[in-house]
Amino acid sequence: PAPTEAGRAPGPPDGGWGWVVVFGAFVSIGFAYAFPKGLAIFFKEIQDFFGTSYSEIAWVSSIMLATTYGAGPISSILVNRYGSRPVVMFGGLLCGVGMISASFCTSILQLYICVGFITGFGLALNLQPSVIIIGKYFLKRRPIANGLAMAGSPVMLCTLAPLNQFLFDNFGWRGSFLILGAILLNCCVAGALFRPIGAGMMPVKTRVTEEGKDALKGKFTEDGMEISSSPDVPMESKTEEEGGKDCFEKINQYLDFSLFKHRGFLIYLIGNVLMFLGFFAPIVFLAPYAKHTGIDEYSAAFLLSILAIVDMVARPTTGIVANSKWVRPRIQYFFSFAIAFNGACHLLCPLASSYTGLIVYSGFFGLAFGMVCAMLFETLMDLVGAARFTSAVGLVTIAECCTILLGPPIGGILIDTFGDYKYMFIKCGAVMVLAGTFLFIMNYYNYRILAKEEKERKKKEEDLKSSRTENEGRNNWNKDSAQDGPELEPLREEGVKKEINGT
């Protein structure tokens, strides 16, 4: 027999297997975000090995991050077509292949291809599906689930920073890349946990209906021509309509380009594109900056661990705070504050000249970084909704990849030009304070317009209701008049004449 709720779409369970999915997303998101930052441990030695400048070696992380974000639309299309599980497993395989190939590279250009493009594309196939599937498993507890999943980045960074230094001391950068490639294959295991929600639960009524439609479509005439199930629409016109779809319409099935007419989405997109110009460069150059000031290798790597430990606590805490009844309606303002706070930390970094000062900076940086990352996708889903979130993530990431690509190399150029790291930190801080201020002001303006539009809409609805009431009253009066009989006809004619004369 058909189930009692056949035909209803299953809602997000907000728990159960969803917490296993959060753990899988914790692993895959952790590698996607932390791995490009953890590679900064090897940059000084690779730079000396190939004889390159700061800006040239910074392109390795930039290309990897830009590919991770720029391949967002491809990842979204694949998720819509095949689901999250196979996409993440294939991405983990690409990550392993890219890093294992990088261990045999003989030039910096080959590193750009293997580490930047191949591994970066694999990380892109890990990031988007992990974020998307959380939105399918959670609704009420979504900010908490996103915060826990995003905590994978600091946990992985906290682990990878000392691990990479240990691997380099014992196996060199080539042997380290080989081992890291094997470690990245664990993303395939994380992807296997992404069980499709509602799989194998197609209602019996739906199957019977589809079988009936197929039976109608399967009627053929003696001449071999198929009879249309709708007598008014010939089969030839249907074929022409299907064939008339152009390439843009087919792409629009997977990426909703109408989002570019969404005011809130455009504000979010502009603010984030500006923010990413200074978001990743401080992490990439934090360990090299510490080594430049005379701090030993393990102490420099420990700064990344401090950042990651604080980040680890900040992300789930931010998720809990963002889920509260006081903050969730104003989450866009909270996100703007987190970005501006991040920029203020970078502006004050040049004042930290000693190792103790760098520890304090790393702690505040980890707090601000965790706040931004915990709300990065939650604020987007708050603006566009869960139904359009998959397309929104793809469109946002491809727009952000340009500034992600340029951020670290611009920082490297400033270091090469002035021979000092402080100008790089000042540039990143100023850009992020500007992005946070822009988002705060524009979101305030957007909410004012939305409130005004809502007020006008309610006013129009009230006017329509009042006009309907008047029309119903007139119709009732006409009906009553029609029921009065022929006796009142002379009086009615006399009233019409008086109205014509103006009396």
Side-chain angles (χ1 to χ4, degrees), residues 112-172:
Y112 292 161
I113 296 170
C114 294
V115 179
F117 289 109
I118 299 176
T119 307
F121 185 65
L123 295 176
L125 299 184
N126 276 270
L127 179 59
Q128 265 78 9
S130 304
V131 176
I132 290 166
I133 199 167
I134 289 175
K136 294 180 180 179
Y137 268 91
F138 290 90
L139 180 62
K140 293 180 181 178
R141 300 175 181 173
R142 194 179 64 212
I144 300 173
N146 273 324
L148 290 172
M150 288 294 181
S153 173
V155 171
M156 291 294 178
L157 183 59
C158 181
T159 308
L160 284 174
L163 176 64
N164 286 349
Q165 191 63 52
F166 172 78
L167 291 176
F168 175 76
D169 291 340
N170 289 275
F171 304 102

Side-chain angles (χ1 to χ4, degrees), residues 15-32 88 126-127 129-131 133-135 137-138 142 144-153 155-156 159 186-195:
W17 188 262
W19 297 116
V20 181
V21 172
V22 168
F23 175 73
F26 176 91
V27 175
S28 56
I29 290 175
F31 278 119
V88 174
N126 276 270
L127 179 59
S130 304
V131 176
I133 199 167
I134 289 175
Y137 268 91
F138 290 90
R142 194 179 64 212
I144 300 173
N146 273 324
L148 290 172
M150 288 294 181
S153 173
V155 171
M156 291 294 178
T159 308
N186 286 289
C187 293
C188 300
V189 182
L193 300 176
F194 292 169
R195 187 169 67 191

Side-chain angles (χ1 to χ4, degrees), residues 74-305:
I74 300 173
S75 181
S76 298
I77 290 170
L78 291 174
V79 170
N80 285 334
R81 181 68 179 84
Y82 301 105
S84 294
R85 177 187 277 175
V87 174
V88 174
M89 294 177 73
F90 179 66
L93 184 63
L94 275 182
C95 290
V97 170
M99 289 305 296
I100 291 170
S101 302
S103 64
F104 300 100
C105 290
T106 57
S107 68
I108 193 71
L109 180 61
Q110 292 174 0
L111 277 181
Y112 292 161
I113 296 170
C114 294
V115 179
F117 289 109
I118 299 176
T119 307
F121 185 65
L123 295 176
L125 299 184
N126 276 270
L127 179 59
Q128 265 78 9
S130 304
V131 176
I132 290 166
I133 199 167
I134 289 175
K136 294 180 180 179
Y137 268 91
F138 290 90
L139 180 62
K140 293 180 181 178
R141 300 175 181 173
R142 194 179 64 212
I144 300 173
N146 273 324
L148 290 172
M150 288 294 181
S153 173
V155 171
M156 291 294 178
L157 183 59
C158 181
T159 308
L160 284 174
L163 176 64
N164 286 349
Q165 191 63 52
F166 172 78
L167 291 176
F168 175 76
D169 291 340
N170 289 275
F171 304 102
W173 69 269
R174 291 187 185 275
S176 300
F177 280 15
L178 191 65
I179 296 170
L180 289 172
I183 292 173
L184 282 173
L185 291 175
N186 286 289
C187 293
C188 300
V189 182
L193 300 176
F194 292 169
R195 187 169 67 191
I197 188 166
M201 295 174 63
M202 185 179 178
V204 177
K205 289 182 181 178
T206 309
R207 286 201 292 267
V208 171
T209 307
E210 289 185 356
E211 287 174 3
K213 289 180 181 178
D214 293 339
L216 287 172
K217 290 179 181 177
K219 293 180 180 179
F220 290 88
T221 61
E222 293 180 358
D223 298 331
M225 298 296 292
E226 187 175 353
I227 299 174
S228 172
S229 58
S230 176
D232 299 328
V233 183
M235 184 60 65
E236 292 180 2
S237 64
K238 286 186 177 181
T239 309
E240 288 176 2
E241 287 176 4
E242 289 176 0
K245 285 188 175 181
D246 58 3
C247 183
F248 180 81
E249 289 176 348
K250 290 179 180 178
I251 294 174
N252 201 40
Q253 291 177 354
Y254 300 102
L255 293 174
D256 188 3
F257 288 100
S258 65
L259 284 166
F260 287 107
K261 298 179 182 179
H262 192 290
R263 188 168 53 244
F265 173 78
L266 288 176
I267 293 170
Y268 176 92
L269 181 65
I270 295 170
N272 275 257
V273 166
L274 184 61
M275 176 194 73
F276 276 106
L277 195 61
F279 192 60
F280 288 113
I283 297 181
V284 171
F285 289 107
L286 180 58
Y289 173 51
K291 293 178 183 178
H292 178 75
T293 57
I295 297 169
D296 62 276
E297 289 82 358
Y298 278 97
S299 298
F302 185 64
L303 291 174
L304 290 175
S305 297

Side-chain angles (χ1 to χ4, degrees), residues 446-461:
N446 184 35
Y447 285 138
R448 287 282 300 272
I449 293 179
L450 288 174
K452 186 177 179 181
E453 290 173 351
E454 182 69 16
K455 190 176 179 180
E456 290 177 355
R457 186 183 63 81
K458 288 181 179 179
K459 187 177 179 181
K460 286 181 181 179
E461 287 180 356

Side-chain angles (χ1 to χ4, degrees), residues 412-426:
I413 290 171
L414 290 173
I415 296 169
D416 290 332
T417 304
F418 298 101
D420 198 340
Y421 283 80
K422 69 177 181 180
Y423 297 102
M424 184 272 300
F425 285 106
I426 291 172

